[in-house]
Amino acid sequence: MKTNIIEPLQIRHQEVMQKADQLHETVNNLVYEGKVSLGKNLAKIEEIIIFFNSKLLPHMDFDENCIFLYLSKHIPKCEPTIQFLLAEHKELRENFDIFEKLFSKLKVEKNNKCREEILEKLRDRGVYLFCIIRNHLQTEEESTHKMIWNQL
């Protein structure tokens, strides 16, 4: 009987997906709930940013430096998928960086009109991040995780 060697990866994916869902909900709440819940929603976004910085980005580094390298070396037919996932990692990092900068600008902006513009951009970027994360996790689970499981 095989030991499920991908279980830790699946657990991390579940954690990331929960935070991505929270991100999606919170950025929408940030725009539609207005000032009444602003503090609560900003705190939630800050919590999500901390999680992504401490869990998601290191997990992506692990994927790139361990899993993808292993798969490239031992299962060459998965190289196109790995290149696609690497491109998504790059896209995710770039958009997360923009999201963080927008969030920082929002926290210090006092002008209501500027805040509204930043809120819209933050919501759009947050929804985009949610979509990238969801798609990326699904692709990893259906490709690299299955390859690891079937080949080992």
Side-chain angles (χ1 to χ4, degrees):
M1 183 166 176
K2 284 185 182 179
T3 303
N4 190 350
I5 60 173
I6 58 172
E7 185 175 3
L9 299 174
Q10 292 170 325
I11 290 169
R12 178 55 44 96
H13 279 198
Q14 289 171 354
E15 293 171 343
V16 170
M17 197 62 241
Q18 286 174 339
K19 287 297 181 187
D21 288 342
Q22 290 173 5
L23 173 67
H24 186 257
E25 179 181 352
T26 306
V27 294
N28 282 312
N29 289 346
L30 194 60
V31 172
Y32 299 119
E33 289 181 353
K35 290 182 180 180
V36 174
S37 300
L38 182 66
K40 175 187 79 161
N41 289 323
L42 290 176
K44 189 65 177 174
I45 288 175
E46 191 156 20
E47 174 192 317
I48 293 165
I49 287 172
I50 290 168
F51 175 85
F52 284 171
N53 277 320
S54 66
K55 304 289 185 181
L56 177 61
L57 298 178
H59 176 77
M60 289 168 37
D61 291 338
F62 174 76
D63 283 349
E64 292 169 4
N65 297 318
C66 296
I67 294 175
F68 295 170
L69 288 177
Y70 177 85
L71 290 173
S72 289
K73 183 176 181 178
H74 297 286
I75 312 170
K77 69 180 179 182
C78 71
E79 188 63 30
T81 303
I82 291 170
Q83 291 306 313
F84 175 76
L85 293 171
L86 288 169
E88 279 192 338
H89 278 190
K90 182 180 180 205
E91 180 78 7
L92 185 57
R93 281 186 181 96
E94 289 171 358
N95 280 279
F96 183 66
D97 185 55
I98 294 167
F99 182 83
E100 277 188 293
K101 288 176 181 167
L102 285 168
F103 181 72
S104 294
K105 283 174 70 174
L106 178 66
K107 287 178 22 179
V108 297
E109 183 60 56
K110 301 297 182 209
N111 181 297
N112 281 337
K113 183 168 175 47
C114 290
R115 283 181 75 94
E116 287 178 24
E117 290 173 11
I118 295 169
L119 279 171
E120 277 299 317
K121 290 177 184 176
L122 189 70
R123 183 185 66 84
D124 291 347
R125 190 68 55 171
V127 170
Y128 183 63
L129 282 170
F130 166 78
C131 292
I132 293 172
I133 292 168
R134 181 175 276 296
N135 181 67
H136 184 78
L137 295 179
Q138 182 178 1
T139 302
E140 274 191 1
E141 288 175 5
E142 292 178 3
S143 61
T144 58
H145 292 184
K146 284 185 179 179
M147 286 180 208
I148 291 169
W149 180 253
N150 290 332
Q151 298 295 319
L152 297 177

